[in-house]
Amino acid sequence: MIIEILPLLMFLVLAALLFTGFPVAFVLGGVGLAFWLLAVALGIENPLSFFLVVGRIFGGVVNNLTLVAIPMFIFMGTLLEKSGVARDLLSALQVLTRRIPGGLALSVTLIGVVMAATTGIIGASVVMMTVLALPVMIDRGYDKALASGTIAASGTLGILVPPSIMLVVMADLLSTSVGGLFMAALLPGLLLSTLYLLWIIARTAISPQLAPALPKSEGPRSLLALSGLMIRSFLPPVLLIALVLGSIFGGYATPTEASGIGAAGALVLALLRKNFRWKTFLESLDQSTLTSAMLFGIFVGATAFSYVFALLGGHDLIIGFVDSLDVGPWGILFVLMAIVFFLGFFFDWIEITLIVLPVFAPVIKALDFAGHVPFPELTITWFAVLVAVNLQTSFLTPPFGFALFYLKGVAPGSVRIQHIYKGVIPFIILQILALGAVMAWPDIALWLPSRMQ
């Protein structure tokens, strides 16, 4: 009996320790090591199986060239933020939308899309937009809930819109193509961004006092000045994004190679700025290194945990539990989505992805959706996109929505946590609607990769 419930005990112990605030990497690796030692003591495992875990870590993480893209994309986004390129882009978008009620909120959403296409660092995106945009929005008379909700939701687009760090991790865990997953997530990411924009337009059209338009006197006075602003602040980062994504989708570069192109392009844009300093470059390197080290530490711990979980028969336990539900493929899919959504209230995407995907993937591969998925060979890609859309909510749902913490940490004192919670509710609903749309119409995710193939 003890042997059969060991995998379940692993999850319970992991959940309990994650709430202690101890570093996630050490919790994952420590729980895996502890239960391996327990299995050896009970005679379930051979002591030599420890070297299998080491081999899995080396082969799956240390020696994985695909994961090289992660530090490159992190450096790319950090450099754009530190050098002021992203700040100038936000200013340009404000000018373009200044005549529209809610134009500043629309600009924040658009800059969120751009930042999402340059980096998957949610903390950097949310903090940057909060510092740059929230005080301005409040000074312009914006409703605090609408302003804070827009910033928090737009900043989370980085885990869905490619090139995304999370998609790189997912592709590695599911043994699928990174480029294919990028293509599959592009349209759902744009769909979610469009829903954000439509909601802001509709909300401010009904209640214009929530988001007053900028005065006509602000911004460039002539077409020549406006053209100069667009050429200087808008076109460079947009061209960089087009270069990175175009090289991947066109088949000219792998995601790993494209990440190097993006990092080099961001460095060129930063060097072209007059106020760029050596100190800024070192700060970007320092932040990128710390973020990458944190992520790879979690990868190592999660690899050890998942491998020990599999050694103890955890996958068989999960598959047996799902089969016992007897709710059919759609019922199982809804249950899995509900589990991911529930976990999002308490854990970050890193823990959820690295723990849940290796367990759920065998279940999904065994399901038959009776022709609902037009390309059965891409079912696992469709499932990955569903999880990615679902995980958007993990940044916004209290009590542990990390985007809420990032925003509150740098927001003006007049913005209370109640404003933030109230502001994110409509965007959480929009995320659930986007999840339902991709679930009902798989072509939203699968049309582009199927055409490219």
Side-chain angles (χ1 to χ4, degrees), residues 256-280:
T256 303
E257 294 166 342
S259 68
I261 295 173
L267 182 58
V268 170
L269 293 183
L271 290 173
L272 291 176
R273 298 180 60 83
K274 295 180 180 179
N275 60 344
F276 185 72
R277 299 289 182 269
W278 178 252
K279 180 181 178 182
T280 305

Side-chain angles (χ1 to χ4, degrees), residues 54 56-65 67-68 296 300:
V54 176
R56 175 64 65 91
I57 292 173
F58 184 83
V61 179
V62 179
N63 200 32
N64 192 337
L65 295 179
L67 298 181
V68 174
F296 278 90
V300 170

Side-chain angles (χ1 to χ4, degrees), residues 171-432:
D172 179 63
L173 292 173
L174 298 174
S175 300
T176 188
S177 165
V178 178
L181 199 51
F182 278 3
M183 287 185 283
L186 181 60
L187 293 182
L190 295 178
L191 169 65
L192 189 57
S193 308
T194 303
L195 290 177
Y196 288 176
L197 295 172
L198 292 177
W199 160 252
I200 294 170
I201 292 172
R203 187 74 181 93
T204 54
I206 296 173
S207 305
Q209 71 278 6
L210 297 179
L214 295 178
K216 295 182 179 180
S217 59
E218 293 199 9
R221 303 292 182 88
S222 65
L223 180 60
L224 180 62
L226 178 62
S227 301
L229 178 65
M230 293 300 104
I231 294 174
R232 183 177 64 255
S233 302
F234 183 78
L235 285 181
V238 172
L239 289 176
L240 176 61
I241 294 167
L243 180 64
V244 173
L245 293 182
S247 63
I248 296 173
F249 295 162
Y252 299 107
T254 66
T256 303
E257 294 166 342
S259 68
I261 295 173
L267 182 58
V268 170
L269 293 183
L271 290 173
L272 291 176
R273 298 180 60 83
K274 295 180 180 179
N275 60 344
F276 185 72
R277 299 289 182 269
W278 178 252
K279 180 181 178 182
T280 305
F281 177 71
L282 293 180
E283 288 176 351
S284 301
L285 282 178
D286 185 58
Q287 182 174 329
S288 302
T289 302
L290 291 175
T291 304
S292 300
M294 180 269 294
L295 284 174
F296 278 90
I298 294 176
F299 295 158
V300 170
T303 301
F305 177 89
S306 62
Y307 193 64
V308 173
F309 182 77
L311 284 177
L312 298 180
H315 290 173
D316 295 333
L317 181 67
I318 295 295
I319 293 174
F321 169 73
V322 172
D323 289 341
S324 68
L325 295 176
D326 195 24
V327 291
W330 282 105
I332 292 173
L333 183 62
F334 280 118
V335 169
L336 297 184
M337 289 296 107
I339 291 174
V340 172
F341 180 77
F342 175 76
L343 291 176
F345 281 82
F346 305 101
F347 304 121
D348 195 4
W349 71 266
I350 304 174
E351 297 99 275
I352 299 173
T353 302
L354 295 177
I355 297 171
V356 168
L357 275 189
V359 176
F360 286 176
V363 177
I364 292 299
K365 289 178 180 178
L367 298 180
D368 180 11
F369 291 94
H372 180 75
V373 180
F375 311 99
E377 68 277 7
L378 295 176
T379 299
I380 199 67
T381 301
W382 175 55
F383 173 69
V385 173
L386 290 178
V387 173
V389 177
N390 199 340
L391 285 176
Q392 289 281 129
T393 61
S394 69
F395 287 93
L396 302 182
T397 47
F400 297 113
F402 285 87
L404 312 182
F405 294 154
Y406 296 141
L407 193 153
K408 178 58 180 171
V410 293
S414 60
V415 178
R416 300 194 302 272
I417 195 66
Q418 292 90 335
H419 294 135
I420 300 174
Y421 284 171
K422 179 182 176 182
V424 299
I425 291 175
F427 294 97
I428 294 174
I429 296 173
L430 293 176
Q431 290 170 344
I432 295 174

